[in-house]
Amino acid sequence: LKIAVLISGGGSNLKALIDAAADPDFPAEIACVGSDTDAPGLDHARSAGIPTFVVRPRDSATREEWGAVLAAAIQEHHVGTGPDRGLVVSAGLMRILPPGFVRTFSPHLINTHPALLPEYPGAHAVRDALAAGAARTGVTVHVIDEGVDTGPVLRQAAVDVLPGETEADLHERIKQLERPLLVETVRDIALGRLALPGAA
Ligand code: GRF
């Protein structure tokens, strides 16, 4: 299964996927890594010899146009074009994907979110959970639909919130669950063990 990974930051989830895919028995290969910015995490892909591309929103007149340029870059690497439809994995992309992009790839389009959706959607999930005094939070891997963090949930993992811990500490503890959860979700999709809701 060819996958495209989309990032905006450090890419530790991307790195986990790259490390997993280094095993020839892993049923997915990372065909490309894209970003909306010159994300530091792109270096993980470069070091692994994986093609990368940056599609900047400011270079497009509208969000829909940005989405179309991003979709074309992904399809140039033969993701989303074959009979198996491939898989687009948003792992720390800090942009909302526009409806046209979602319609092109979903449900072969998943996201990982650092909260137990539907709790704490949006770009500040870890901060919001702490601010709400949550005793427990976690991570959700879900199909991206045309809403924000609203698509069908595929996998979740929970973590207790420790008293007084910082947002950075909690986020890193969430990521310790998130990285293997994302790898296993991609593996299960690639092996056909996990059906993507709405997939033909
Ligand atoms: C992840 O926790 C992801 O859920 C959130 O942003 C974080 C990206 O972390 N959307 P990294 O860049 O993979 O380290």
Side-chain angles (χ1 to χ4, degrees):
L1 180 72
K2 285 184 182 298
I3 67 174
V5 185
L6 302 177
I7 65 168
S8 294
S12 73
N13 281 281
L14 165 65
K15 179 77 167 65
L17 286 169
I18 290 173
D19 293 347
D23 178 340
D25 293 336
F26 191 71
E29 67 168 296
I30 303 170
C32 59
V33 176
S35 182
D36 58 313
T37 181
D38 192 15
L42 291 175
D43 283 341
H44 294 310
R46 295 176 183 126
S47 303
I50 297 167
T52 63
F53 51 80
V54 175
V55 180
R56 289 181 175 75
R58 69 164 175 264
D59 295 341
S60 293
T62 66
R63 280 164 43 79
E64 274 298 333
E65 185 188 309
W66 172 71
V69 175
L70 185 66
I74 290 167
Q75 291 171 331
E76 269 169 41
H77 292 93
H78 312 296
V79 175
T81 54
D84 69 6
R85 297 283 304 284
L87 182 68
V88 179
V89 180
S90 165
L93 179 71
M94 296 314 283
R95 296 268 170 185
I96 305 296
L97 293 164
F101 183 98
V102 173
R103 283 193 297 273
T104 299
F105 293 107
S106 194
H108 304 266
L109 171 61
I110 66 174
N111 182 46
T112 181
H113 181 81
L116 295 174
L117 291 174
E119 292 174 356
Y120 313 119
H124 307 291
V126 180
R127 183 201 311 172
D128 294 345
L130 276 175
R136 183 173 173 273
T137 186
V139 53
T140 303
V141 181
H142 65 97
V143 173
I144 296 175
D145 65 10
E146 296 191 29
V148 177
D149 298 328
T150 53
V153 170
L154 297 175
R155 292 276 193 280
Q156 290 190 306
V159 63
D160 290 334
V161 179
L162 303 179
E165 72 178 328
T166 66
E167 177 184 346
D169 293 340
L170 176 53
H171 201 162
E172 181 51 34
R173 287 197 309 108
I174 290 169
K175 287 185 181 184
Q176 284 165 9
L177 295 179
E178 179 174 39
R179 297 175 191 122
L181 187 72
L182 184 60
V183 167
E184 287 315 307
T185 303
V186 169
R187 180 199 305 271
D188 287 346
I189 291 168
L191 293 175
R193 286 190 201 143
L194 175 56
L196 291 170

